[in-house]
Amino acid sequence: MPLLLKLSRLVDGLSDLIGKLAMWLILAATLISAGNAVIRKTFGTSSNAWLEIQWYLFAAVFMLGGGYAFLRNAHVRIDFISTKFSDRTRNWIDVGGIVIFLFPLCYLMIVEGWPLFVNAWTSGEMSSNSGGLIRWPVYLFIPLGFALLMLQGLSELVKRFAFLTGQGPDPLSHTGPSETELLAKEIADAEKHKLEASLASANKH
């Protein structure tokens, strides 16, 4: 189990890194969308490539961010039911969900998605829109995204068995602040610093 937990931490680190990179893709998509709108309104011109790169980036965030969401327990849960169970019961339910539902789904999507990528790669498939992009990068997100999700599923399975055998903490514990709470705190701190800076500037004058 110690070796498996070490491997689990490595997978968690990979998912965390990819998740943080995906956040920058959201920013890139936003900037491209805003820039494209400004250019279209100002100069009356645009390109399908700029439109398509936006949904390419969205596809990357959506597909590649699944493992990160699983790592952070940010996926949808029926909390009003799960909170009525004991910690061990909730972890056993997760084990069943990972093995019975998650792994088969990931395997199916990898097996079905890989030929789409290979065909697009070998044929040089392009968008049917004028000035559109090549298609293989977006097809690659399907098998790659589900492979990363399956890898994180293995990590989560290890952590749940570690807890159930008394060799690790409860991975479903919600004792710490949530992602939303952390974000709200960061915004509140930023607003506080902004207000303090404004007051300091006003006092100087």
Side-chain angles (χ1 to χ4, degrees):
M1 185 60 72
L3 177 59
L4 290 176
L5 286 172
K6 184 176 181 179
L7 293 174
S8 173
R9 287 191 291 271
L10 290 175
V11 173
D12 290 351
L14 175 63
S15 293
D16 188 62
L17 175 62
I18 292 174
K20 290 176 179 177
L21 290 175
M23 296 178 189
W24 288 102
L25 296 183
I26 296 174
L27 175 61
T30 303
L31 293 176
I32 290 173
S33 177
N36 190 43
V38 170
I39 292 173
R40 185 172 63 252
K41 293 295 184 181
T42 304
F43 301 102
T45 184
S46 183
S47 169
N48 284 324
W50 289 107
L51 296 175
E52 290 186 5
I53 194 63
Q54 295 173 46
W55 66 264
Y56 272 39
L57 292 171
F58 174 78
V61 172
F62 184 82
M63 295 303 304
L64 304 182
Y68 180 77
F70 199 5
L71 170 65
R72 297 297 182 184
N73 280 314
H75 53 293
V76 176
R77 291 182 181 276
I78 309 178
D79 289 332
F80 77 94
I81 294 179
S82 64
T83 52
K84 299 180 184 298
F85 299 135
S86 67
D87 293 341
R88 291 184 62 83
T89 300
R90 288 189 294 114
N91 276 275
W92 274 118
I93 291 174
D94 261 28
V95 168
I98 292 170
V99 174
I100 298 174
F101 297 106
L102 180 66
F103 286 166
L105 172 64
C106 290
Y107 174 77
L108 178 64
M109 296 304 295
I110 293 170
V111 170
E112 294 295 326
W114 184 255
L116 292 176
F117 159 67
V118 172
N119 289 337
W121 171 273
T122 54
S123 66
E125 180 181 346
M126 298 288 296
S127 169
S128 59
N129 298 316
S130 176
L133 303 174
I134 54 175
R135 282 287 189 245
W136 67 261
V138 75
Y139 286 134
L140 179 60
F141 294 148
I142 299 173
L144 181 58
F146 279 98
L148 292 170
L149 180 58
M150 179 179 257
L151 194 62
Q152 186 59 44
L154 288 170
S155 173
E156 297 301 320
L157 199 61
V158 168
K159 287 184 281 188
R160 279 149 183 75
F161 275 122
F163 169 71
L164 292 169
T165 57
Q167 301 180 63
D170 182 4
L172 299 178
S173 173
H174 299 289
T175 55
S178 66
E179 294 289 312
T180 304
E181 291 169 337
L182 290 174
L183 179 60
K185 184 178 184 302
E186 289 180 6
I187 294 174
D189 290 341
E191 290 296 325
K192 179 181 177 181
H193 292 318
K194 184 177 179 180
L195 178 61
E196 290 175 348
S198 298
L199 291 175
S201 178
N203 291 332
K204 289 181 180 180
H205 297 288

